[in-house]
Amino acid sequence: MSIILTAVVILLILALIFGALLGYAAIRFRVEGDPIVEQINALLPQTQCGQCGHPGCKPYAEGIANGEPINKCPPGGETTIQALADLLDVEALPLDGEHGEEKPRTVAFIREAECIGCTKCIQACPVDAILGAAKHMHTVIVDECTGCDLCVEPCPVDCIDMLPIAVTPQNWGWDFPRPAHQLIATDAQRGAA
Amino acid sequence: MTAQPRIWDIPGGIHPPQNKHQSTARGLEQMPLPARLVLPLLQHIGNRAVPVVQIGERVLKGQLIAEANGPLSCPVHAPTSGIVRAIEPAPYPHASGLAELAIILESDGQDEWTELRPLLDYRDEQPLNLLDRIRAAGISGLGGAGFPTAVKLASRPDHHIDTLIINGTECEPYITADDMTMRHRAPQIVAGIEVLMHILKPDQVLIGIEDNKPEAIAAMREAVGERPMQVVVIPTKYPSGGEKQLIQILTGKEVPSGGLPADIGILCQNVGTALAVHDAVLLGRPLISRITTLTGAALERPTNVEALIGTPIADLLAFAGLRQNRLYRLVMGGPMMGFTLLDSSAPIIKTSNCLLAGTIEELPPPPPALPCIRCGLCAEACPAELLPQQLHWFAIGKDYEQLQRQNLFDCIECGACAYVCPSSIPLVQYFRAGKAEIRGIELQQSRAEHSRQRFEQRQERLEREAEQRELERQARAEKAARAKAAREAQAAQQQTEQSEQATEPKPAEPDLARIQSRKVTTLSAEQKQLKIAAATARMALQRAQKQLAANPDNADLQAQIPTLEQAFTQAQQAFDAQMSDQEKQ
C-alpha cells in the first residue's frame, strides 16, 4: 500500500515540477503575434484592393492562416499562389475567377479638369496616394499608387481612369527566347538575341 | 620607360575573328555638321535629365540644354548652335526600340561656341571642384555602360584608390574607336589621365592595351614619356576589356561578387572618358562629340569619325557610303554585345562606340537552337567562372532563386558562352531575361513592402483619429452634464434665497454666479437674435471708430458715430433686459 502511495506522491511531485517548468517557459519564451501571418502577408502584393473580400492584405493573410483558400488574390496572380503554396506546403490552385482576373498593374489617373474636389477618392485610397482638399482638384501620386481600383467607384463624376503602366527604355526588360520547337529556321533571328 | 610589369590571365575567353582592319585604313575623319540633331535626355545610367530650354530658343554650341536630375544623372549640352525645334519622344538607340524623350535641335550652320572657361592650372584646384566640373560637363563612361563619371570617381570616398586603370583594351571585334582615339589623341588622353591622377592620387596608373593595336601602343608610349604611368600590353583575347577582367589581368585581383572595383582600391576608366575629362577641364568643353566606328561589309568606306552626339545614324551611314541593298542587320556596338537597331533615324549617344552595318554573310541569322548536350564548352569559355549550362537550365524553369544562387548577376553578358555553344542556344538572352525578371520581382517586393507600411500607418492614423473623436465626444458629454448640474443647483439656491430673504440686496457673490450661469444658459431663439444684433451693432461702431482714427477729417464718419453708438446701446439694453427677465423667472 505504501509503495503505491509513494509512487503516486512521486508522480504528483514530478507533474507539478514539469507543469511549473512548462508554465514558466510559456511565459518566458512567448512568441509575439503569429509569425505565419507575417510570412503570408510578406508574399501578398499589398495592393490593399480588397478583391479577396477582406479589407486589406493583412486580414487576408490572417484568413489564409486560418485555412482560407490561397487563390483569392487577383493582383498577385499565379506567382503569389505558387509562393503561398510553397510556403504552406499545399497544392497550388488556379486563381478563383469569382474574385477577379489577373491583370497587368495599372495606376489611377484623375482627369483633373473634371474633378470637383469631393475628397471621396482620398478617403477610399488605402495607401494615401491621392492628394487634394475639399473643393480643390485632386491628383494621384503615381509612385505610391498600388492600382487597387478602390478610388474609381466612389468618384461621383467618374473622372478616374486606371491606366496601364507605360513601357519605357528604363523599365523595359528582355524576354526569354521562344523555345526552339516553336521556331522555324526562316524566322529564327526574331527569337534570338 | 619601365619594363613591362607582370600580367595575369583570366579564365575562359574566346578568339573570334578580329575584323578590325576594315575601319582603320582611313584614319580619323570629321563628320560634316548634320542639319538636325536628336539629343535624348537619357544617355547614361540614372535619372533622365530635365530640359532647361524652350522650344524655339536659339542655343549656342556647348550650352547647357538639360540639367542633371539628382546625383545619379548627367546634363546634356547643345553639340552645335541652332534652334530648339521640339522636346518630344524620338527614336532612341536602345535594344527595346522604344522612343525616349529628346531635344530636337536644328543646326544653323554657324557652329558658334558659347563662352568656355578653360582651367589650365587645375593642379591648384581642389579635387572636389574638378569633380563638379566633370559632372557639369555631362561626362558619362564612354566605354559602353554610360555610368556618370563624376559619380564613379567619388563612389567610395572612404577607400583610397591605389591603382587607376585606363582601359584601352577594346577587345570586341570590329570596333576600333578607342584604337583611333589613342592613335590620334594620345597627348590629350595623357593630359586627361593626369587630371584623374590629381583627383584620385593613385599609387600607380596602368594603361591596358591589347597587342593587336601596335600603333596605339606606340602613340601612347610616346605621349606618356617619363610620366608616372605604365602602358601595359596584354594578349588579345575576348573579353579582356571587361572592367573586372582587365582588373584581373593587370593586377591579379578579383572584384568581389556584387562589389565595385573601388572596394579593392581600383578604379577603371575608358580612354575616351580620359579624353573627355581633358576636354572638360583643360578646354572647358562639355561632352558634345565622340569618336565612333562605322564598319561592316554593307558600307563602301568603313571608317572612324568624330561625330557630334545626337547625329542621326542614317547621316553617319550615308557618310560611310551605305549600300542599302546589302544591309541585312544594323547593330549598335559590336557583334558580341551590341544590339540590333530597328530605326536608323535614332541618333548616336554618349555610349555609342560603333555602328556595324552587316551583310547577311557577315551576321547570318543564328540557326534554330537545339537542346543542350551538356558539353561544358560554355563553362570553359565563361570569363566570370559561371556555369552557363546550369543557368540556362534554371532560366528555362524560371527558378529565380537558383539563378541567384548560381551568381547570375556576376554574368557580364559578354556572349562568349553563346559563341561557343554547339547547339546555338541564345544563352545571353536567357540571362538578360532572367536578370530583368529578378529585378522586376525585387522592385515589386520593395514596392509591396512600402505599400504595406503606408497602409498600416494609415490604419493607425484612422484608429487614432477615431479614438480622439471618441475622447472629445466624452469630454463634451461630461461638460454638458456638469453644466446641467450647476444650473440645477443654481436654480435650487435661488429658490431658497428668494424664500429666505426676499428684500435683502444682492451681494457680490451671487452676481458672479449669475454671470457664470449665464454663460452656460442655452439662449432662446429670440435672445440669440438680440445678442447677434447687439454684437453686429458693436462691430459696426468699432469699425467706424477705427476708420475715423485713420482719417480724422472725414465728416461723414463723424456724423455716423453717434447714430451707431445709440444703435449699439439700444441693442445691448434690449438683450440685457431680456436676459434679466429670464433670470427673474
Side-chain angles (χ1 to χ4, degrees):
Chain A
M1 186 65 204
S2 70
I3 295 174
I4 294 170
L5 203 67
T6 319
V8 167
V9 168
I10 288 174
L11 282 177
L12 205 66
I13 291 168
L14 279 176
L16 282 174
I17 292 172
F18 287 123
L21 205 67
L22 283 172
Y24 172 73
I27 296 163
R28 177 73 180 77
F29 302 108
R30 189 189 169 80
V31 178
E32 289 294 334
D34 189 358
I36 193 72
V37 172
E38 290 303 322
Q39 283 175 35
I40 296 170
N41 197 25
L43 293 177
L44 293 174
Q46 305 298 331
T47 44
Q48 320 296 351
C49 63
Q51 288 182 64
C52 53
H54 292 275
C57 292
K58 184 101 184 263
Y60 181 41
E62 280 158 10
I64 292 176
N66 292 329
E68 238 180 275
I70 57 171
N71 59 350
K72 288 187 179 179
C73 179
E78 299 296 333
T79 344
T80 301
I81 293 173
Q82 190 59 52
L84 287 171
D86 289 346
L87 173 72
L88 303 170
D89 203 14
V90 294
E91 204 183 327
L93 307 161
L95 184 66
D96 188 351
E98 189 192 315
H99 297 278
E101 286 159 22
E102 186 174 357
K103 282 179 282 186
R105 226 173 69 87
T106 53
V107 284
F109 172 76
I110 296 178
R111 291 195 300 278
E112 291 170 351
E114 291 166 44
C115 174
I116 53 167
C118 69
T119 75
K120 286 204 166 78
C121 55
I122 295 180
Q123 288 156 36
C125 181
V127 290
D128 288 330
I130 302 178
L131 205 66
K135 301 206 173 156
H136 288 74
M137 178 196 79
H138 304 343
T139 199
V140 176
I141 308 169
V142 177
D143 285 346
E144 305 292 356
C145 177
T146 64
C148 69
D149 250 22
L150 292 179
C151 52
V152 175
E153 201 269 319
C155 180
V157 290
D158 282 335
C159 73
I160 304 180
D161 294 325
M162 297 306 293
L163 301 180
I165 295 171
V167 182
T168 65
Q170 277 168 304
N171 64 15
W172 176 86
W174 286 87
D175 279 334
F176 283 103
R178 278 183 290 167
H181 62 264
Q182 285 182 13
L183 290 171
I184 53 171
T186 45
D187 48 50
Q189 72 271 26
R190 275 191 272 153
Chain B
M1 198 192 76
T2 50
Q4 167 87 9
R6 189 189 158 189
I7 55 168
W8 285 257
D9 193 16
I10 50 164
I14 51 172
H15 295 276
Q18 297 282 313
N19 284 312
K20 294 206 184 224
H21 62 275
Q22 295 96 321
S23 54
T24 52
R26 290 181 177 79
L28 181 58
E29 298 182 85
Q30 281 295 326
M31 178 70 198
L33 195 64
R36 189 167 165 276
L37 292 153
V38 180
L39 299 152
L41 298 173
L42 189 65
Q43 305 191 25
H44 50 267
I45 290 174
N47 296 334
R48 184 184 284 144
V50 183
V52 291
V53 286
Q54 301 294 321
I55 293 168
E57 192 176 329
R58 179 167 189 258
V59 293
L60 295 176
K61 182 173 185 160
Q63 184 182 329
L64 180 77
I65 54 174
E67 63 184 9
N69 177 18
L72 189 63
S73 183
C74 249
V76 180
H77 299 80
T80 184
S81 59
I83 312 281
V84 175
R85 279 296 169 217
I87 301 174
E88 59 187 17
Y92 178 57
H94 190 263
S96 65
L98 294 166
E100 167 63 39
L101 205 60
I103 296 176
I104 316 288
L105 184 65
E106 198 179 277
S107 158
D108 61 7
Q110 293 173 13
D111 213 22
E112 186 186 337
W113 275 100
T114 184
E115 196 191 333
L116 300 180
R117 290 184 302 113
L119 183 67
L120 293 169
D121 45 358
Y122 65 85
R123 283 187 177 81
D124 304 336
E125 283 285 332
Q126 287 292 318
L128 273 181
N129 296 348
L130 292 177
L131 278 182
D132 283 343
R133 214 166 227 272
I134 289 169
R135 187 176 290 121
I139 302 176
S140 57
L142 271 77
F147 195 80
T149 301
V151 181
K152 191 172 180 178
L153 289 173
S155 58
R156 287 280 190 277
D158 45 337
H159 283 224
H160 174 64
I161 301 296
D162 50 48
T163 308
L164 171 64
I165 290 176
I166 302 299
N167 191 344
T169 323
E170 201 161 54
C171 57
E172 196 164 351
Y174 283 99
I175 311 176
T176 54
D178 288 351
D179 187 5
M180 283 298 138
T181 310
M182 288 186 285
R183 285 195 211 180
H184 297 274
R185 299 278 189 273
Q188 289 93 325
I189 293 171
V190 170
I193 296 171
E194 285 189 307
V195 176
L196 292 176
M197 284 167 72
H198 178 66
I199 296 171
L200 297 167
K201 313 241 172 348
D203 304 332
Q204 59 169 346
V205 180
L206 304 171
I207 305 167
I209 309 175
E210 272 188 348
D211 59 8
N212 61 355
K213 303 177 193 57
E215 292 95 337
I217 295 166
M220 286 302 288
R221 284 215 162 120
E222 197 192 325
V224 166
E226 293 304 310
R227 290 182 182 82
M229 27 183 123
Q230 279 178 305
V231 176
V232 187
V233 180
I234 61 172
T236 301
K237 174 157 127 182
Y238 180 82
S240 305
E243 184 175 66
K244 291 170 184 172
Q245 282 62 41
L246 184 61
I247 289 171
Q248 199 175 348
I249 291 171
L250 294 180
T251 65
K253 293 184 196 166
E254 276 189 64
V255 179
S257 175
L260 291 177
D263 294 334
I264 51 171
I266 296 172
L267 201 102
C268 200
Q269 291 288 354
N270 179 263
V271 286
T273 313
L275 176 62
V277 167
H278 161 268
D279 290 352
V281 174
L282 290 156
L283 305 179
R285 287 186 191 176
L287 178 58
I288 53 165
S289 68
R290 69 157 295 139
I291 294 168
T292 300
T293 305
L294 310 174
T295 187
L299 297 180
E300 237 161 65
R301 34 189 308 277
T303 184
N304 272 278
V305 291
E306 182 163 21
L308 296 179
I309 283 156
T311 307
I313 284 161
D315 287 19
L316 290 160
L317 295 177
F319 178 76
L322 175 70
R323 287 173 289 199
Q324 192 68 49
N325 53 343
R326 298 214 57 203
L327 178 69
Y328 172 68
R329 199 161 144 197
L330 182 61
V331 172
M332 178 166 272
M336 302 297 298
M337 294 185 71
F339 55 88
T340 305
L341 277 173
L342 304 170
D343 187 352
S344 68
S345 60
I348 57 159
I349 57 175
K350 291 172 185 175
T351 53
S352 314
N353 53 0
C354 180
L355 284 172
L356 173 56
T359 59
I360 192 154
E361 297 82 34
E362 226 173 2
L363 299 172
L370 298 169
C372 173
I373 55 168
R374 298 252 161 194
C375 63
L377 285 178
C378 50
E380 279 171 30
C382 181
E385 292 182 285
L386 301 176
L387 296 170
Q389 54 183 7
Q390 290 298 94
L391 291 169
H392 170 233
W393 194 249
F394 292 128
I396 290 176
K398 309 206 169 165
D399 190 342
Y400 302 124
E401 216 172 290
Q402 278 290 352
L403 279 175
Q404 277 175 292
R405 213 170 289 159
Q406 297 276 338
N407 298 312
L408 173 67
F409 280 89
D410 284 345
C411 169
I412 59 165
E413 301 173 19
C414 67
C417 51
Y419 181 81
V420 296
C421 181
S423 293
S424 324
I425 301 171
L427 290 163
V428 179
Q429 196 184 343
Y430 278 105
F431 305 156
R432 284 175 171 165
K435 283 183 183 179
E437 285 287 322
I438 292 171
R439 284 201 195 101
I441 289 170
E442 278 175 358
L443 182 73
Q444 231 170 35
Q445 278 172 350
S446 71
R447 284 189 60 113
E449 177 58 24
H450 184 72
S451 304
R452 189 184 62 79
Q453 280 176 4
R454 280 181 79 89
F455 176 69
E456 279 172 9
Q457 280 163 2
R458 179 173 191 267
Q459 295 297 104
E460 268 169 37
R461 194 193 73 218
L462 292 180
E463 267 168 38
R464 224 171 33 238
E465 275 172 9
E467 227 167 76
Q468 185 82 23
R469 268 200 302 275
E470 178 61 26
L471 279 177
E472 274 170 19
R473 199 189 58 77
Q474 278 177 1
R476 271 199 305 277
E478 264 173 43
K479 202 172 153 191
R482 261 206 316 276
K484 201 177 166 197
R487 235 185 0 262
E488 276 164 6
Q490 178 73 31
Q493 196 182 0
Q494 275 180 5
Q495 268 180 1
T496 44
E497 272 174 16
Q498 275 172 3
S499 59
E500 277 174 16
Q501 301 156 316
T503 50
E504 197 181 305
K506 276 180 187 169
E509 273 169 288
D511 232 13
L512 190 67
R514 187 177 57 94
I515 291 163
Q516 275 170 349
S517 70
R518 186 197 282 177
K519 266 186 196 159
V520 293
T521 313
T522 32
L523 301 172
S524 73
E526 200 187 350
Q527 287 165 337
K528 258 185 206 160
Q529 240 169 17
L530 283 170
K531 190 174 181 184
I532 292 167
T536 320
R538 190 169 65 235
M539 282 307 295
L541 176 63
Q542 283 173 350
R543 202 181 306 131
Q545 280 169 341
K546 215 177 271 174
Q547 278 175 354
L548 191 62
N551 40 343
D553 301 333
N554 197 326
D556 273 359
L557 279 174
Q558 279 172 349
Q560 267 175 18
I561 293 284
T563 342
L564 287 168
E565 263 171 3
Q566 201 183 353
F568 167 60
T569 331
Q570 278 172 0
Q572 188 65 40
Q573 276 169 356
F575 175 64
D576 284 346
Q578 185 78 28
M579 289 304 288
S580 47
D581 279 356
Q582 190 197 9
E583 270 155 32
K584 273 172 202 156
Q585 282 161 13

